[in-house]
Amino acid sequence: MSTSETEQFWSKPNGMIPNSRYPLLVHRSAVPGGGEDLVVARFRENGWLNNWHYPGVYTYRHFHSTTHECLGVARGWMQVEIFGEGGPILRVSAGDVIVMPAGVSHMMVGHSEDVSMAGGYADGRDWDNIRHDHLTEDLRRDAAKRIMMLPIPGRDPATGAPMQHWIDAPSSVDAGLNDFRDGLEVSDS
């Protein structure tokens, strides 16, 4: 598989949404033609486990704080809004794989009638589901702390190569996230 079609999308905190200092990756045609079994097999061979199949992804804004996630289009196409309200909308089709850093907001906003997604989590970690419409300041603070403690996965779920895009990402300091990090230690009590 060629990695020449890997797209990177960068984010910053957006209101209560932490997003990530790591880029969201889209590997176009990573699993040519898609197929649930082929997509899941690719994820599993690269250490992204706790796999699932679903007709798309949730249609409300949410993120995960306990793990990074990969999303593969097994069939059809999907449009997903990333980074919170007003964020970019990506269109992915059969065979495309999204590598979603923990903390990155995502929500399905359009899809084909036959859409089928497969997903998985780095090292098979358990996932949580933090909805924007249920987010409090305490939940946001705790989630951001969990996200910052997660390791970079050993291999990219689509390519099997080291996660070089994340290894080379700027540090929290270089990414201008000092104020965000310092704000996590502030307590109202």
Side-chain angles (χ1 to χ4, degrees):
M1 189 209 100
S2 168
T3 58
S4 63
E5 293 199 48
T6 300
E7 301 168 13
Q8 298 182 69
F9 297 86
W10 295 87
S11 65
K12 294 235 181 212
N14 179 4
M16 297 274 281
I17 310 309
N19 284 313
S20 182
R21 71 181 182 93
Y22 302 123
L24 178 147
L25 306 175
V26 179
H27 296 286
R28 299 290 180 182
S29 299
V31 182
E36 288 177 359
D37 292 341
L38 293 173
V39 172
V40 168
R42 174 72 60 85
F43 293 166
R44 293 185 69 74
E45 73 187 27
N46 293 323
W48 292 66
L49 312 171
N50 194 8
N51 304 105
W52 53 264
H53 301 277
Y54 195 74
V57 298
Y58 297 136
T59 56
Y60 52 82
R61 292 180 184 97
H62 67 286
F63 64 91
H64 310 293
S65 72
T66 57
T67 185
H68 307 293
E69 181 179 37
C70 59
L71 305 170
V73 186
R75 185 175 61 247
W77 60 267
M78 175 182 73
Q79 290 176 309
V80 60
E81 176 198 80
I82 56 174
F83 308 148
E85 187 172 354
I89 296 176
L90 304 177
R91 183 181 168 120
V92 288
S93 301
D96 293 346
V97 171
I98 299 173
V99 186
M100 183 85 57
V104 169
S105 171
H106 52 293
M107 170 179 78
M108 184 171 69
V109 295
H111 60 88
S112 62
E113 284 188 26
D114 64 339
V115 69
S116 176
M117 300 294 294
Y121 305 94
D123 301 318
R125 292 179 183 270
D126 285 331
W127 57 277
D128 62 356
N129 186 37
I130 300 179
R131 292 176 59 139
H132 294 205
D133 57 354
H134 296 157
L135 199 55
T136 65
E137 181 56 30
D138 287 341
L139 288 173
R140 179 200 71 85
R141 186 177 294 122
D142 291 345
K145 288 178 182 180
R146 284 190 300 274
I147 291 163
M148 288 188 299
M149 294 184 340
L150 287 171
I152 294 174
R155 294 189 296 175
D156 185 288
T159 67
M163 297 285 301
Q164 204 61 48
H165 293 97
W166 290 8
I167 292 167
D168 293 341
S171 69
S172 296
V173 173
D174 292 339
L177 297 175
N178 271 351
D179 289 342
F180 176 78
R181 290 180 66 103
D182 290 347
L184 298 176
E185 300 306 320
V186 175
S187 176
D188 297 328
S189 47

